[in-house]
Amino acid sequence: MTDLRRVGTNPDFWYPVAVSRRLRPGRVLGTAFAGERIALYRGRSGAVHALEDRCAHRQVPLSMGVVEGETLLCCYHAWAYRGDGRISRIPYLSKGDGRPPRGVRAYPVREAYGLVFVFPGDPDKAAVTALPELPAFGSPQYKTMTFSRTVHCHYSFMHENLLDMNHQFLHRGVVGKLRPELLEYRTGARSVEARYLFTHAGGKRNRSAGLLAAEGIGGSPSRDVMTIRTAYPYQTLDLVPENAERPAFCLWAAYVPEDAEQRTCHAYGLLMIEKPGVPGALHLAWPFIRRFTERVFAEDRMAVEAEQRAWEEQGEDRNHEVFPLILDVRDVLRSNGVPLGPGDATDSPASHEGRASASGCHAAEPATPVSEMPPVELPDG
């Protein structure tokens, strides 16, 4: 069986690569997907464009460039690129010169949920591939907290960490003693979903944890049902307190590989928190909730990065997993992924339905001096 940590994430999906508010008009931002460097820029109209991060002339990164209207100028010789990647202008090009290259690759790009998404795979598939659906985002009943962090591990470790709630001992200093009980789970060709019942069994619990669980100012404990789902390539988590009609909070996460070996990923998260009945209460609690979530994430990052270091030291995956749920999600990630190198081989996407779950559910030179050359505009195409 192929080592999962040598399986790459499938590029034929929409992946977040930046937070929208960090890309102001007239600005350029460098980002990456699995070793492919991408230059994002926002033109005068407000539209975002995504280009291969290299100038076709001298290979200088376009992310070092300057935005002029809707075009991106390389910082070196001011070769100008349109949003479709075509070169529109070379300032010193003479009519008698040879024709320059057509340009660089442009990526399909969309903005949603305060994030910039690119489609790094087959561009013909972008129009028929949907963005993730997040009904709680933008709802007047919820307020959203955005996360953007680099984690030095293979993306699969992140999927396992969130889905396997048996690691609550790691967070004992902030959530106290939590007893998770797996109620059921189901596995399909591209998804794994698990439902846990959480009971607080003592110990000191951070107050923000109670606020997230909608316990209110009084802090009365409740039993919570948590549903976690890996729907390739994204993850979601919903927590519904006992006797509640809707989730106290919903989490959506994506883990975007940055390097070609995919041993580092960028985790993007949207935490949508239900607003309490008391106006302004959530606004006051916001800094404390942020601090709590950052601490929990820091503990998770410590663990998954330690797993990645062990894999690198051992040169292989020596995990001895006994939890069927995690074995199933590994199958989903492996079968939907792509080979990382010529020596690796994985199943084609969705080639099998995954293992049966324990619950039984499936579902030349210039002619004239450079200084005398008039600028030449390059036509489309």
Side-chain angles (χ1 to χ4, degrees):
M1 184 178 293
T2 303
D3 186 340
L4 175 58
R5 320 309 172 186
R6 300 183 188 276
V7 175
T9 193
N10 193 323
D12 288 334
F13 291 89
W14 290 98
Y15 289 93
V17 291
V19 177
S20 288
R21 65 173 179 268
R22 296 178 182 172
L23 188 62
R24 298 188 299 274
R27 296 295 301 272
V28 194
L29 182 65
T31 184
F33 176 87
E36 297 180 19
R37 294 188 294 113
I38 301 171
L40 301 174
Y41 75 96
R42 193 184 294 277
R44 180 174 54 192
S45 68
V48 177
H49 309 281
L51 304 181
E52 184 181 359
D53 195 7
R54 66 171 187 89
C55 179
H57 178 213
R58 298 284 188 90
Q59 313 304 305
V60 173
L62 288 176
S63 56
M64 298 167 60
V66 177
V67 178
E68 188 179 83
E70 296 301 313
T71 62
L72 179 60
L73 278 59
C74 176
C75 70
Y76 199 7
H77 293 83
W79 285 32
Y81 294 82
R82 290 188 285 262
D84 61 1
R86 302 290 182 91
I87 298 170
S88 63
R89 185 173 181 267
I90 299 175
Y92 54 85
L93 187 66
S94 166
K95 290 183 181 297
D97 289 343
R99 188 171 181 82
R102 297 181 68 181
V104 296
R105 177 183 178 184
Y107 295 83
V109 59
R110 295 177 64 179
E111 282 191 275
Y113 314 123
L115 300 172
V116 178
F117 289 78
V118 299
F119 197 89
D122 182 351
D124 292 336
K125 297 180 179 179
V128 296
T129 303
L131 286 167
E133 294 184 9
L134 306 178
F137 187 94
S139 167
Q141 296 173 332
Y142 289 86
K143 183 177 180 179
T144 301
M145 186 177 289
T146 302
F147 298 90
S148 171
R149 296 288 184 272
T150 295
V151 188
H152 298 288
C153 74
H154 190 266
Y155 64 91
S156 61
F157 288 117
M158 298 296 288
H159 279 272
E160 295 176 16
N161 171 266
L162 187 62
L163 197 59
D164 186 357
M165 281 292 136
N166 296 308
H167 76 275
Q168 293 310 305
F169 184 74
L170 176 68
H171 305 306
R172 60 195 180 277
V174 285
V175 298
K177 296 180 180 179
L178 281 181
R179 186 172 66 244
E181 176 189 349
L182 182 61
L183 300 176
E184 65 173 344
Y185 81 94
R186 58 184 68 232
T187 301
R190 287 175 51 184
S191 66
V192 176
E193 181 178 289
R195 291 178 67 248
Y196 292 90
L197 177 66
F198 272 82
T199 304
H200 187 235
K204 186 177 180 180
R205 188 180 190 184
N206 186 288
R207 186 72 199 95
S208 296
L211 291 172
L212 267 177
E215 292 178 359
I217 303 300
S220 57
S222 66
R223 303 202 310 166
D224 308 315
V225 174
M226 185 178 289
T227 302
I228 311 169
R229 179 179 176 86
T230 287
Y232 194 91
Y234 316 117
Q235 272 193 314
T236 59
L237 182 155
D238 295 340
L239 183 138
V240 181
E242 194 173 29
N243 301 321
E245 296 181 356
R246 55 179 173 264
F249 67 85
C250 307
L251 172 68
W252 175 88
Y255 316 117
V256 184
E258 294 186 334
D259 57 321
E261 295 80 12
Q262 303 199 16
R263 298 181 186 181
T264 296
C265 66
H266 199 104
Y268 291 91
L270 299 172
L271 182 62
M272 293 150 278
I273 307 171
E274 185 182 27
K275 297 177 182 178
V278 180
L282 184 57
H283 175 76
L284 294 174
W286 203 250
F288 303 100
I289 295 176
R290 165 71 79 169
R291 191 178 308 154
F292 164 73
T293 55
E294 292 284 6
R295 182 173 174 182
V296 172
F297 182 83
E299 292 174 347
D300 284 332
R301 178 162 55 185
M302 174 191 68
V304 296
E305 289 184 346
E307 288 187 283
Q308 179 66 49
R309 288 195 300 271
W311 183 90
E312 292 172 355
E313 292 166 1
Q314 297 161 2
E316 61 181 354
D317 194 348
R318 296 186 185 177
N319 265 302
H320 295 286
E321 186 54 65
V322 296
F323 196 24
L325 174 62
I326 299 306
L327 295 175
D328 275 6
V329 77
R330 289 181 180 177
D331 274 354
V332 167
L333 297 176
R334 186 181 289 112
S335 64
N336 286 279
V338 297
L340 269 180
D344 296 326
T346 60
D347 297 330
S348 60
S351 62
H352 64 273
E353 290 294 322
R355 302 180 321 105
S357 70
S359 64
C361 298
H362 276 280
E365 287 189 7
T368 56
V370 171
S371 60
E372 299 176 14
M373 291 183 182
V376 175
E377 298 291 334
L378 299 180
D380 291 341

